[in-house]
Amino acid sequence: MRFTKFLLGLFLIATSSVFAQEKQITLEEIWDGTFSQERLESLESLNNGTEYIVLNQDRKNATSSIDVYDYKSGEKKGSLINSANLKEISKFQGYKLSVDEAKVLLGTQMDQIFRHSSKGIFYVYNIASKFLQKLSENKIQEPTFSPDASMVAYVFNNNLYIKTLATGKEIQITTDGKKNEIINGVTDWVYEEEFAFVRAFDWNKTGTKIAYLRFDETKVPEFSMSIFGEDLYPEVTTFKYPKAGEENSLVSLQIYDLKSANSSTVELGDYKDFYIPRIDWTNDAKILSVQVLNRHQNNLDLIFVNSEKNVAKVVMNETDKAYVDITDNLTFLEDNSYIWTSEKDGYNHIYHYDKNGKLIDQITKGNWEVTNYYGFDAKTKRVYYQSTENGSVNRDVYSIKADGSNKKRLTQKTGTNNADFSTDYTYFINSFSNTKTPNEFTLHDSKTGKLERKIKDNSKLLEKEKAYNFSPKEISTIEVNGNELNMWMIKPSDFDPNKKYPLFMFQYSGPGSQQVSNSYFNSNDYWYQLLADEGYIIVSVDGRGTGFKGAAFKKVTQNELGKYELEDQIEAAKKLGVLDYIDQDQIGIWGWSYGGFMATNAILKGNDVFSMAIAVAPVTSWRFYDSIYTERYMTTPQENPEGYDENSPINHVEKLKGNFLLVHGSGDDNVHVQNSMRLIEALVQENKQFDWAIYPDKNHGIYGGNTRLHLYTKMTEFIKENLKTNINLNNKNNI
């Protein structure tokens, strides 16, 4: 009898211990939306400055609505439109309001083309009359209202069109558009990817003219990819892709005059091989601003074009020993003076120029970076911006007078703050997060930063996460090669400093990037929590070449991509490896895209430090990558062959000693699978054993259906097999 009670007691103690343990995170949970955050989707302030709109998707009923909220009270005032009340469409994926807010463009049946571009069926909805008008029977690109909303311009099959809404009359502005030859009004592949814009046309302020770019791709080399699909025979997709040192599109600026119904070519100057990364009409309806960048991207001219006289004049010139960044910060004030951001004093700051390009004031100064320009309030003469004044891993919102005086910090919490201002700059909605706090949205007074009300937070997510006992993401710095580098570390929740743990490092390392920030978890961070549960320490270090520490720190990698970044990752791994709780014989590294390039280099050139690496969609030779990105940092391979070849993994395959997993999508239009195929062949010919996986038809993001789950399952198993922990060994002994 006593023996039975004793066994029962042991059973109760054991089961109580099991139930007391924290819940273990799974890969399925990471990718099925379990940890998704609440957000404000497509937030936009209305002209009255007292209300804002948000796109809400009712997934249960498969409907969409643009709902109106009062800034001050948060009360829902109604809806501009609800697709439940429309017969023609059940839901829409996006919207654009006209300037007068009387009409709205609705996008449906959207098809993605490349990273930023898409096409779809669009409708115009008249808010007052509730009349819905189909814009075209065709799937079109970039529909844009004229200033008075009487017309819409758009692109179809590489040609630019204008439709008058009242009559339905359609005018075809260009007729020479042809796939892989001529593009009008939207950008070619490399502009879209590297200058991050698609719509390459703009209405002037009176709606009497449209400026647009014309791309002649005829001489640009073609790249072809097999799309395997599900049919008996694969399809082949072919597009123009200028690789480093190869021919680019010939770009020209055109201005279409609606009255004469004619386009004219604008002669910008004596430029031979150049880019036009931005065009914007100024507040003067006859003056167009054009940014012209030389092929080396270290000389930028801001040009004002008088569209009535067809005369171009350079009003400002920006040069840099390395490169000049292209941004969307150019803003014209009422008197046609303009706001501009520049790194010319060593840090990114805000400048004010008059309409002739003469400097009025440098508005911000200091050894910190302006990371976002929000706008200028003409009434108070204040500029609103985001910066790293509180440390390079943090972001705060500030206001400052246009003459650089009376600066105010408008956010109080330390972490990542990002603002969305009302049209009249009375309020701003702040989104905040840090390593312990998922996104929370609050309303603030723009003059003082005073909290007006709480809008939305993710307290439910935090409550859900309590069951998992996640480890904190610890942000610190590490001294490497004479620099204090930002670093985060995640340890096992039951971390014991007397034990030794394998180290798994993540990095991206690309120019101007940042992985170490005081912000909340993303999907990869939840994966790192899973790995921490398995007994790993995960670390990320932002080395030289990354951003937000000044131009010199960012641009030190010029002409030698992969050299200094790799030196920093290797040295950081060595310094971490001597810590008492790190097993220096078990250090792995991984990365995606530029990070994959780095991880591949690490397992080759750092083979005495790293015993394992995973590279997803890596560049393996800079000769394979596109002209704009690569030449910005490396010039051309004809000019800099050593810089290209010395730091490209494909030329160092004989150095492979550790365990290597290489992953790529066969439909990657950005970093072509050619990169991995050439690396695979080189490794095979060196008789180097490694693991690899190709995901059919998947692009650079490698997603869709169960793809991400499969990929991260594969990577997790590879890590557990090749970076041994006490847990791994115990599990292996139990099998």
Side-chain angles (χ1 to χ4, degrees), residues 442-474:
T442 50
L443 181 73
H444 298 259
D445 178 274
S446 293
K447 291 180 181 177
T448 63
K450 176 187 174 185
L451 174 67
E452 296 287 343
R453 66 180 178 90
K454 296 179 179 179
I455 300 174
K456 181 181 287 191
D457 62 25
N458 281 278
S459 54
K460 291 182 180 178
L461 175 61
L462 283 176
E463 190 63 32
K464 181 188 296 183
E465 290 178 359
K466 284 182 180 178
Y468 295 85
N469 191 29
F470 288 146
S471 299
K473 180 187 276 189
E474 304 169 5

Side-chain angles (χ1 to χ4, degrees), residues 84-293:
N85 302 321
L86 302 175
K87 294 180 181 179
E88 294 87 346
I89 57 176
S90 59
K91 64 183 299 186
F92 49 90
Q93 287 78 53
Y95 71 89
K96 292 180 185 177
L97 272 179
S98 61
V99 174
D100 63 3
E101 299 178 347
K103 297 172 184 174
V104 57
L105 273 163
L106 304 174
T108 68
Q109 302 178 46
M110 302 302 295
D111 293 334
Q112 200 72 24
I113 302 173
F114 296 119
R115 186 193 296 262
H116 303 289
S117 56
S118 60
K119 61 183 178 178
I121 299 295
F122 286 86
Y123 294 81
V124 176
Y125 181 75
N126 187 304
I127 294 172
S129 68
K130 301 188 183 333
F131 176 66
L132 188 70
Q133 178 181 4
K134 196 174 191 179
L135 198 56
S136 173
E137 294 297 329
N138 301 309
K139 288 197 170 185
I140 61 173
Q141 290 182 261
E142 300 298 318
T144 304
F145 283 116
S146 62
D148 65 357
S150 65
M151 298 173 283
V152 175
Y154 60 85
V155 174
F156 172 63
N157 282 350
N158 289 5
N159 282 313
L160 187 59
Y161 292 76
I162 297 176
K163 184 167 187 175
T164 302
L165 297 176
T167 63
K169 182 182 178 181
E170 187 177 71
I171 299 172
Q172 185 172 348
I173 294 176
T174 65
T175 58
D176 59 350
K178 186 177 180 181
K179 184 179 179 181
N180 289 336
E181 290 188 14
I182 304 295
I183 308 172
N184 296 288
V186 291
T187 53
D188 65 1
W189 185 94
V190 72
Y191 266 64
E192 174 182 338
E193 178 65 29
E194 304 305 351
F195 289 140
F197 77 112
V198 176
R199 180 168 63 87
F201 68 86
D202 196 32
W203 291 92
N204 73 342
K205 297 302 178 184
T206 54
T208 56
K209 298 177 187 291
I210 293 180
Y212 65 95
L213 298 183
R214 179 183 185 270
F215 295 87
D216 182 345
E217 297 187 292
T218 307
K219 295 183 179 180
V220 178
E222 292 182 341
F223 191 86
S224 296
M225 297 188 303
S226 292
I227 306 299
F228 297 98
E230 297 179 354
D231 294 333
L232 188 60
Y233 291 93
E235 295 180 0
V236 175
T237 182
T238 301
F239 58 100
K240 297 287 186 163
Y241 185 105
K243 299 200 175 190
E246 299 294 318
E247 291 267 8
N248 282 319
S249 292
L250 297 176
V251 61
S252 62
L253 174 65
Q254 313 289 321
I255 296 181
Y256 178 79
D257 181 80
L258 274 73
K259 186 177 180 179
S260 66
N262 287 317
S263 287
S264 58
T265 301
V266 179
E267 296 299 331
L268 294 170
D270 187 22
Y271 300 104
K272 299 217 185 306
D273 201 348
F274 64 98
Y275 302 109
I276 305 178
R278 295 291 186 272
I279 56 171
D280 295 284
W281 285 97
T282 71
N283 285 324
D284 183 336
K286 66 177 179 292
I287 302 297
L288 173 72
S289 76
V290 184
Q291 296 180 43
V292 176
L293 188 66

